[in-house]
Amino acid sequence: MANSLYTAPDVVALANALASKDLVLAQTVNRDYEANYGGGKGTSVNVRVPAVLKARTRDLTNDAGTGQASAFVVDTVTETTFTVALDENPYSVVALNDRERTFELEDFGRQILAPQIDAIVDWIESKVAAEMAALADAVASFDAYAPTNPTALFTDVRQTLRENGLPVTGLIAAVGTQVWKEMGDAKVFSDQGSQTTNPSVPGSKNVAGFDAFETNRVAPREIVFYHKAAFTLAVRAPQAPNGAPFSASVASNGFAMLHIQDYDSNIGSDRSLLSTFIGTQYLAARKVDRSGATATIVSVPSAYRVVTVLPV
């Protein structure tokens, strides 16, 4: 499509292909709250944490000779909330003057739209990685890492997450390139076969119950162990302005953005604008403690960042 801007179907098709290819970390985290953002709902969502109760029992034998069972104890249902905010608006604006469009632009999708989409996708991935990097290094909380037996660290962390109340399914490990190499050298994957364990993450392997995958978004000697619900990501496309001559909403795998094409007469240029709204947040797990007279919810880690240290 030489020397012309894309139509809406062209934009959607190209954006879907590029976004699906490069969104990796973003596809492993929780996206369930995106539907709570929209017109009239504001940019923050208060997510309710269900109340928990502890069952009680009554003594049905005679109570002090009265023949009456003990009275019911009445509990109160109390919910807690946490807030997730859409607080950033990554965008890319590219101007094309008449000379560029006439003599230099051969393929708008490849030369203009593709770099714009790549820039926004990279921003989203970086935001998820930054949430993970903000976790304190928990290396001291677990057994020493051994490059000859990397799986031991995985089983140790898994035990802790399970004791924190995290379910068996949905456990994920984002592994740095150096640690992934050491896992390969230690033959960790030799019994795993060639099948991926998580279709949304090409190359993932089941390691001690984790869907483990290699990524250069974390440090080479780093592993981030987490449950899918530990990190929340929301991506919503802005509403198209009424005055835009061309606009298209793009969505793929939960990735959404707005594309606008218009003409700026002040500078004599067509413009291509891509933008989206995003928000990310780490959410601790809620563990039910029924050891006291009433059940309570205790916040416990749902993710651990471990910077592996080689033995001295």
Side-chain angles (χ1 to χ4, degrees):
M1 189 173 294
N3 298 338
S4 63
L5 298 184
Y6 267 21
T7 64
D10 295 324
V11 172
V12 172
L14 179 60
N16 284 355
L18 291 172
S20 299
K21 178 185 68 173
D22 291 333
L23 281 171
V24 179
L25 286 180
Q27 294 189 45
T28 69
V29 299
N30 184 28
R31 311 290 299 278
D32 293 345
Y33 302 131
E34 285 179 329
N36 293 340
Y37 295 89
K41 299 179 182 178
T43 60
S44 296
V45 171
N46 290 323
V47 181
R48 293 182 178 179
V49 178
V52 296
L53 296 171
K54 180 177 181 177
R56 298 180 182 276
T57 186
R58 294 193 301 158
D59 184 0
L60 296 180
T61 62
N62 288 345
D63 185 10
T66 64
Q68 300 293 325
S70 57
F72 287 106
V73 176
V74 179
D75 293 314
T76 300
V77 174
T78 303
E79 293 183 334
T80 57
T81 62
F82 59 86
T83 300
V84 180
L86 281 174
D87 55 3
E88 296 209 36
N89 178 206
Y91 68 90
S92 172
V93 180
V94 173
L96 294 171
N97 61 39
D98 290 339
R99 179 182 180 281
E100 290 172 323
R101 289 197 61 197
T102 303
F103 300 110
E104 300 175 13
L105 183 62
E106 298 177 356
D107 186 327
F108 176 78
R110 175 178 60 82
Q111 294 175 259
I112 306 300
L113 191 58
Q116 287 187 286
I117 294 171
D118 182 67
I120 293 180
V121 168
D122 180 75
W123 181 280
I124 294 173
E125 282 286 281
S126 297
K127 284 293 294 180
V128 177
E131 287 290 336
M132 295 180 174
L135 296 174
D137 182 8
V139 65
S141 301
F142 303 104
D143 293 339
Y145 172 77
T148 56
N149 184 24
T151 306
L153 176 61
F154 281 72
T155 56
D156 192 17
V157 176
R158 182 184 182 278
Q159 178 183 359
T160 300
L161 287 173
R162 292 288 292 127
E163 290 174 352
N164 287 353
L166 277 303
V168 173
T169 58
L171 295 177
I172 302 168
V175 183
T177 55
Q178 181 61 36
V179 178
W180 191 264
K181 175 184 180 300
E182 292 165 359
M183 292 170 68
D185 292 342
K187 311 300 182 186
V188 169
F189 311 127
S190 60
D191 297 328
Q192 305 298 328
S194 60
Q195 297 295 318
T196 62
T197 62
N198 188 336
S200 67
V201 185
S204 63
K205 300 290 185 180
N206 186 308
V207 180
F210 287 93
D211 286 332
F213 65 97
E214 180 189 28
T215 176
N216 59 8
R217 297 285 180 171
V218 303
R221 297 219 58 86
E222 187 173 88
I223 310 173
V224 180
F225 300 93
Y226 57 102
H227 186 268
K228 181 179 178 66
F231 300 95
T232 290
L233 169 67
V235 181
R236 288 298 300 268
Q239 184 174 354
N242 293 330
F246 169 90
S247 64
S249 294
V250 178
S252 176
N253 295 329
F255 173 84
M257 69 179 179
L258 174 69
H259 180 228
I260 296 174
Q261 295 173 182
D262 64 1
Y263 182 77
D264 186 343
S265 59
N266 292 324
I267 60 175
S269 295
D270 280 304
R271 295 182 302 182
S272 173
L273 164 65
L274 285 173
S275 70
T276 191
F277 295 132
I278 72 170
T280 58
Q281 186 168 324
Y282 165 70
L283 302 174
R286 270 67 177 175
K287 181 179 180 180
V288 179
D289 181 4
R290 292 187 170 90
S291 60
T294 59
T296 58
I297 295 179
V298 180
S299 293
V300 292
S302 58
Y304 292 99
R305 184 177 68 90
V306 177
V307 180
T308 61
V309 179
L310 293 176
V312 177

